[in-house]
Amino acid sequence: MRYFIEFAYKGTNYHGWQLQPNAVTVQELLNKAFSVILKEDINVSGAGRTDAGVHASQMYAHFDIENELAIDKIVYKVNALLPNDIVVYDLLKTTDDAHTRFDATSRSYEYRIFLGRNPFEIETTWQHTNKKLNIDKMNAAAEILLTFTNFKCFSRSNSDVTTYNCNVTKAVWVKTDKLLVFHISANRFLRNMVRAIVGTLLDVGTGKTSLEAFEQIIKSENRCNAGPSAPPQGLFLTEIIYPKTIFIHE
């Protein structure tokens, strides 16, 4: 039987999602907790990977097990073993071939910028104290993203992918008091894509890059032409959507 795990984590204390030999990761701790509770070797497969310091308010991973699980009991026991910055919300029974990475139809991220200084937001926002941002121009540039599909210019160099095409369906900045949040959704994302987009959009907001230049950056398909990557702590994976047909409701 295959189960999807719905969970969240604050990534500050972890070297990203994916297992690494000499660093603590979220995948490693989930594997250990489920292996202890289920009394067998569990290796979870994630919907994607986040870098060190990046957070997820909704993430999924899956694993296989022979026997049907008492979901509420397992969730309670696993959370008792996990650190407080990783929380399992639910286990969802799926079809045997369902895959958290390949079956996802949409993913959404938020990038959070705090306009000022706040010691309680240091680990979850990028704090800006001395730059005035033209948010209208940043949103005009964000709209340009919806007219393109090839985002090689925002991808980490030497990424092992077969295509740089992504279907971006939403890209908008929303300001509430001192919090400026970039919302972006797409069918898939390239490595470092959101942070590179945010860094380049901030160049638009400060006047360093014009709207015309932003469009030319995308057309160039060259990472060297885009802006610097925004730091990891402001980035949140917020939603992953799957076809309802993969879930088994009893």
Side-chain angles (χ1 to χ4, degrees), residues 16-40:
W17 157 257
Q18 193 170 11
L19 284 171
Q20 297 191 37
N22 299 307
V24 180
T25 67
V26 179
Q27 187 179 22
E28 173 191 351
L29 294 183
L30 276 180
N31 284 345
K32 288 181 177 178
F34 275 94
S35 295
V36 169
I37 297 303
L38 298 177
K39 296 181 172 58
E40 62 179 271

Side-chain angles (χ1 to χ4, degrees), residues 204-220:
V204 173
T206 58
K208 181 179 178 180
T209 300
S210 67
L211 294 177
E212 294 76 13
F214 182 79
E215 188 167 347
Q216 290 304 314
I217 288 170
I218 301 175
K219 290 179 178 178
S220 76

Side-chain angles (χ1 to χ4, degrees), residues 1 30 37 59 61 75 94 104 108 131 139 148 160 165 181 184 204 211 239 249:
M1 295 179 183
L30 276 180
I37 297 303
M59 176 64 156
V75 168
T94 69
S108 296
K131 290 183 180 179
N139 267 324
F148 286 87
D160 183 21
N165 288 347
V181 182
I184 185 167
V204 173
L211 294 177
E239 185 180 42
H249 302 284

Side-chain angles (χ1 to χ4, degrees), residues 76-94:
Y76 176 82
K77 289 183 176 180
V78 166
N79 280 329
L81 289 183
L82 289 169
N84 291 333
D85 50 10
I86 304 175
V87 177
V88 171
Y89 291 133
D90 204 358
L91 294 177
L92 306 165
K93 190 176 179 181
T94 69

